[in-house]
Amino acid sequence: MNKELSDTTERISLAGIDTINLLGVGDANLKVIQNSFRSRVFARGDEIVLSGKGPEVELITSVILSLREQAENGVALTERDVAYAIDKVIHQRSSGQERERDSQVMAVKRLVKPKSRGQTEYLEAMQASDLVVAIGPAGTGKTYLAVAAAVAALNERQVERIVLCRPAVEAGESLGFLPGDFKEKIDPYMRPLYDSLFDMMSRDKANRYLANEVIEIVPLAYMRGRTLNNAFMILDEAQNATRTQMKMFLTRMGFNSRAVVTGDVTQIDLAHASESGLVDIQGVLQDIEGIRFVMLDEQDVVRHKLVHRIIQAYRSGNGRGAEPGG
């Protein structure tokens, strides 16, 4: 009988797996799979049972095996992870590709894996190129993955130090009216970098690295006049760096150094958006060999599902007023 027309039943064991992680709370992850295919997919005891046409059952099996492998590696699975696994397997089948090597980096505390096709491209670009520019909306993992790649490079002794910086641009609030000395005024601008760093390694180890200047978190203006060898440099919120500041940052790269520039061109807080260095370099540096540009979009958002819809609404012009922050 034609395999394409005949019904096939497949059972996939979940023995030894955290089934709540794999299936989701209230079977939310399983429902994503059920709603994506015509075949019957249900959990029974410590196994998942599939019933449907042969080719589709094979495809669903590949999806579940991929998710099971991630669960075995300690990845906390979300509905977004399931949707990405489905998209990835379908793309591989339609393009005739073999199962591609999973991109990932090992930070001190966790294994960090991309959760979308754009994030996979971004992580692979950072592993292959000395200068990567990532542009995309809030929630696409631009900062988080860059810090993960930097920590992994430090762990593997590919670099000797990490330098994280942001432009300290006032977005409707004046620094002068914030309490405290200069460092206390600046720290809130740097907080997202601290948050990402503390998620990659213990707070004690991070603070020790910070105290010994193995890791630096500084305002962009403090980069002027320096040359950084054996360093992993990250410029975050680069849409708020001027063209002059962008050139200054990029020319800090010394021997055996790597740089990542991240930003969102829809959230420019400069008085004149045309002054944004991130906008400028898309034309100036686009064709230079050794520089990779990665464009992320709402399909790469890994925050709450409403963030994806909010970004779509603003992009389509349904939103009113200023662009959303974050």
Short mmCIF file of all heavy atoms in Angstrom, two decimals, residues 127-161:
data_model
loop_
_atom_site.label_atom_id
_atom_site.label_comp_id
_atom_site.label_asym_id
_atom_site.label_seq_id
_atom_site.Cartn_x
_atom_site.Cartn_y
_atom_site.Cartn_z
N GLN A 127 29.99 33.46 15.95
CA GLN A 127 31.01 32.43 16.05
C GLN A 127 31.98 32.47 14.87
O GLN A 127 33.10 31.97 14.97
CB GLN A 127 30.35 31.05 16.15
CG GLN A 127 29.59 30.84 17.47
CD GLN A 127 28.71 29.60 17.46
OE1 GLN A 127 28.33 29.10 16.41
NE2 GLN A 127 28.40 29.10 18.64
N ALA A 128 31.54 33.09 13.77
CA ALA A 128 32.35 33.05 12.54
C ALA A 128 33.00 34.37 12.17
O ALA A 128 33.99 34.40 11.44
CB ALA A 128 31.48 32.57 11.37
N SER A 129 32.47 35.50 12.66
CA SER A 129 32.95 36.81 12.22
C SER A 129 33.46 37.64 13.39
O SER A 129 32.95 37.53 14.51
CB SER A 129 31.82 37.57 11.50
OG SER A 129 31.34 36.84 10.39
N ASP A 130 34.42 38.49 13.10
CA ASP A 130 35.00 39.34 14.14
C ASP A 130 34.14 40.56 14.44
O ASP A 130 34.27 41.16 15.51
CB ASP A 130 36.41 39.80 13.73
CG ASP A 130 37.43 38.68 13.82
OD1 ASP A 130 37.17 37.69 14.53
OD2 ASP A 130 38.49 38.79 13.18
N LEU A 131 33.28 40.96 13.51
CA LEU A 131 32.39 42.09 13.75
C LEU A 131 31.00 41.74 13.24
O LEU A 131 30.82 41.43 12.06
CB LEU A 131 32.91 43.35 13.05
CG LEU A 131 32.00 44.59 13.11
CD1 LEU A 131 31.66 44.96 14.54
CD2 LEU A 131 32.67 45.78 12.40
N VAL A 132 30.04 41.77 14.15
CA VAL A 132 28.64 41.45 13.81
C VAL A 132 27.76 42.61 14.23
O VAL A 132 27.90 43.15 15.34
CB VAL A 132 28.19 40.15 14.52
CG1 VAL A 132 26.70 39.88 14.26
CG2 VAL A 132 29.04 38.97 14.08
N VAL A 133 26.84 43.00 13.35
CA VAL A 133 25.86 44.04 13.64
C VAL A 133 24.48 43.39 13.63
O VAL A 133 24.05 42.85 12.60
CB VAL A 133 25.93 45.18 12.61
CG1 VAL A 133 24.90 46.26 12.94
CG2 VAL A 133 27.33 45.78 12.54
N ALA A 134 23.79 43.41 14.77
CA ALA A 134 22.47 42.81 14.88
C ALA A 134 21.43 43.91 15.08
O ALA A 134 21.52 44.68 16.04
CB ALA A 134 22.41 41.82 16.04
N ILE A 135 20.47 43.97 14.18
CA ILE A 135 19.44 45.00 14.22
C ILE A 135 18.08 44.33 14.30
O ILE A 135 17.77 43.43 13.52
CB ILE A 135 19.52 45.90 12.97
CG1 ILE A 135 20.89 46.58 12.89
CG2 ILE A 135 18.40 46.93 12.97
CD1 ILE A 135 21.12 47.36 11.62
N GLY A 136 17.27 44.76 15.26
CA GLY A 136 15.95 44.16 15.39
C GLY A 136 15.19 44.75 16.56
O GLY A 136 15.75 45.48 17.38
N PRO A 137 13.91 44.43 16.68
CA PRO A 137 13.06 45.01 17.72
C PRO A 137 13.31 44.41 19.09
O PRO A 137 14.09 43.47 19.25
CB PRO A 137 11.64 44.68 17.23
CG PRO A 137 11.81 43.42 16.43
CD PRO A 137 13.15 43.55 15.76
N ALA A 138 12.63 44.97 20.07
CA ALA A 138 12.75 44.49 21.45
C ALA A 138 12.36 43.02 21.55
O ALA A 138 11.45 42.57 20.86
CB ALA A 138 11.85 45.34 22.36
N GLY A 139 13.07 42.30 22.41
CA GLY A 139 12.69 40.91 22.69
C GLY A 139 13.25 39.88 21.76
O GLY A 139 12.91 38.70 21.85
N THR A 140 14.14 40.27 20.84
CA THR A 140 14.68 39.30 19.87
C THR A 140 15.98 38.67 20.35
O THR A 140 16.59 37.89 19.62
CB THR A 140 14.90 39.96 18.50
OG1 THR A 140 15.63 41.19 18.67
CG2 THR A 140 13.56 40.27 17.83
N GLY A 141 16.42 39.00 21.56
CA GLY A 141 17.61 38.36 22.13
C GLY A 141 18.92 38.95 21.69
O GLY A 141 19.97 38.32 21.84
N LYS A 142 18.90 40.18 21.17
CA LYS A 142 20.13 40.79 20.66
C LYS A 142 21.20 40.88 21.75
O LYS A 142 22.33 40.44 21.56
CB LYS A 142 19.84 42.19 20.11
CG LYS A 142 18.81 42.25 18.99
CD LYS A 142 18.65 43.66 18.48
CE LYS A 142 18.18 44.67 19.50
NZ LYS A 142 16.82 44.40 20.02
N THR A 143 20.83 41.48 22.88
CA THR A 143 21.79 41.66 23.98
C THR A 143 22.11 40.33 24.65
O THR A 143 23.28 40.02 24.91
CB THR A 143 21.22 42.65 25.01
OG1 THR A 143 20.88 43.87 24.36
CG2 THR A 143 22.23 42.91 26.12
N TYR A 144 21.09 39.56 24.94
CA TYR A 144 21.26 38.31 25.69
C TYR A 144 22.21 37.35 24.98
O TYR A 144 23.14 36.81 25.59
CB TYR A 144 19.89 37.66 25.88
CG TYR A 144 19.87 36.51 26.85
CD1 TYR A 144 19.78 36.74 28.22
CD2 TYR A 144 19.95 35.20 26.41
CE1 TYR A 144 19.75 35.70 29.13
CE2 TYR A 144 19.93 34.14 27.31
CZ TYR A 144 19.82 34.39 28.66
OH TYR A 144 19.82 33.36 29.56
N LEU A 145 22.01 37.15 23.69
CA LEU A 145 22.87 36.23 22.94
C LEU A 145 24.28 36.78 22.78
O LEU A 145 25.25 36.01 22.78
CB LEU A 145 22.25 35.91 21.58
CG LEU A 145 21.07 34.95 21.58
CD1 LEU A 145 20.52 34.78 20.17
CD2 LEU A 145 21.45 33.59 22.16
N ALA A 146 24.40 38.09 22.65
CA ALA A 146 25.73 38.69 22.54
C ALA A 146 26.52 38.48 23.83
O ALA A 146 27.71 38.11 23.79
CB ALA A 146 25.61 40.18 22.22
N VAL A 147 25.88 38.70 24.97
CA VAL A 147 26.56 38.48 26.26
C VAL A 147 26.88 37.00 26.43
O VAL A 147 27.97 36.64 26.91
CB VAL A 147 25.71 39.01 27.42
CG1 VAL A 147 26.33 38.64 28.77
CG2 VAL A 147 25.54 40.52 27.33
N ALA A 148 25.97 36.12 26.02
CA ALA A 148 26.23 34.67 26.11
C ALA A 148 27.45 34.29 25.28
O ALA A 148 28.31 33.52 25.73
CB ALA A 148 25.01 33.88 25.65
N ALA A 149 27.54 34.83 24.06
CA ALA A 149 28.69 34.53 23.19
C ALA A 149 29.98 35.07 23.79
O ALA A 149 31.04 34.43 23.70
CB ALA A 149 28.45 35.11 21.80
N ALA A 150 29.90 36.24 24.41
CA ALA A 150 31.09 36.83 25.03
C ALA A 150 31.57 36.00 26.21
O ALA A 150 32.77 35.73 26.35
CB ALA A 150 30.78 38.26 25.48
N VAL A 151 30.64 35.58 27.07
CA VAL A 151 31.00 34.76 28.23
C VAL A 151 31.58 33.42 27.79
O VAL A 151 32.56 32.92 28.35
CB VAL A 151 29.78 34.57 29.15
CG1 VAL A 151 30.08 33.54 30.25
CG2 VAL A 151 29.37 35.90 29.78
N ALA A 152 30.98 32.83 26.74
CA ALA A 152 31.49 31.56 26.22
C ALA A 152 32.91 31.73 25.69
O ALA A 152 33.79 30.89 25.92
CB ALA A 152 30.58 31.03 25.12
N ALA A 153 33.17 32.84 24.99
CA ALA A 153 34.52 33.10 24.46
C ALA A 153 35.52 33.29 25.59
O ALA A 153 36.67 32.83 25.50
CB ALA A 153 34.49 34.34 23.56
N LEU A 154 35.09 33.93 26.67
CA LEU A 154 35.97 34.11 27.83
C LEU A 154 36.24 32.77 28.50
O LEU A 154 37.39 32.47 28.86
CB LEU A 154 35.31 35.09 28.82
CG LEU A 154 36.14 35.47 30.05
CD1 LEU A 154 37.39 36.24 29.64
CD2 LEU A 154 35.28 36.29 31.03
N ASN A 155 35.20 31.96 28.65
CA ASN A 155 35.36 30.63 29.27
C ASN A 155 36.33 29.76 28.49
O ASN A 155 37.11 28.99 29.07
CB ASN A 155 34.01 29.91 29.36
CG ASN A 155 33.06 30.57 30.34
OD1 ASN A 155 33.49 31.34 31.20
ND2 ASN A 155 31.78 30.29 30.20
N GLU A 156 36.26 29.86 27.17
CA GLU A 156 37.10 29.03 26.31
C GLU A 156 38.46 29.67 26.03
O GLU A 156 39.23 29.17 25.22
CB GLU A 156 36.37 28.77 24.98
CG GLU A 156 35.09 27.96 25.16
CD GLU A 156 34.19 27.99 23.94
OE1 GLU A 156 34.64 28.50 22.88
OE2 GLU A 156 33.03 27.52 24.04
N ARG A 157 38.73 30.80 26.71
CA ARG A 157 40.01 31.52 26.61
C ARG A 157 40.33 31.99 25.19
O ARG A 157 41.48 32.10 24.80
CB ARG A 157 41.15 30.65 27.16
CG ARG A 157 40.93 30.25 28.61
CD ARG A 157 42.15 29.64 29.24
NE ARG A 157 41.90 29.36 30.64
CZ ARG A 157 42.81 28.87 31.49
NH1 ARG A 157 44.03 28.64 31.06
NH2 ARG A 157 42.51 28.63 32.74
N GLN A 158 39.26 32.24 24.44
CA GLN A 158 39.44 32.85 23.12
C GLN A 158 39.75 34.33 23.26
O GLN A 158 40.36 34.93 22.38
CB GLN A 158 38.17 32.64 22.28
CG GLN A 158 37.85 31.19 21.99
CD GLN A 158 36.50 31.04 21.30
OE1 GLN A 158 35.85 32.02 20.96
NE2 GLN A 158 36.07 29.81 21.10
N VAL A 159 39.28 34.93 24.36
CA VAL A 159 39.56 36.33 24.68
C VAL A 159 39.94 36.40 26.16
O VAL A 159 39.70 35.46 26.92
CB VAL A 159 38.36 37.25 24.40
CG1 VAL A 159 38.01 37.26 22.92
CG2 VAL A 159 37.15 36.84 25.23
N GLU A 160 40.53 37.54 26.55
CA GLU A 160 40.96 37.71 27.93
C GLU A 160 40.05 38.63 28.72
O GLU A 160 40.13 38.69 29.94
CB GLU A 160 42.39 38.27 27.96
CG GLU A 160 43.43 37.33 27.36
CD GLU A 160 44.82 37.94 27.31
OE1 GLU A 160 44.94 39.15 27.65
OE2 GLU A 160 45.76 37.23 26.95
N ARG A 161 39.18 39.35 28.02
CA ARG A 161 38.32 40.29 28.72
C ARG A 161 37.06 40.55 27.91
O ARG A 161 37.01 40.31 26.70
CB ARG A 161 39.06 41.60 28.99
CG ARG A 161 39.45 42.33 27.71
CD ARG A 161 40.46 43.42 27.94
NE ARG A 161 40.05 44.34 28.99
CZ ARG A 161 40.64 45.52 29.20
NH1 ARG A 161 41.66 45.90 28.44
NH2 ARG A 161 40.23 46.31 30.14
#
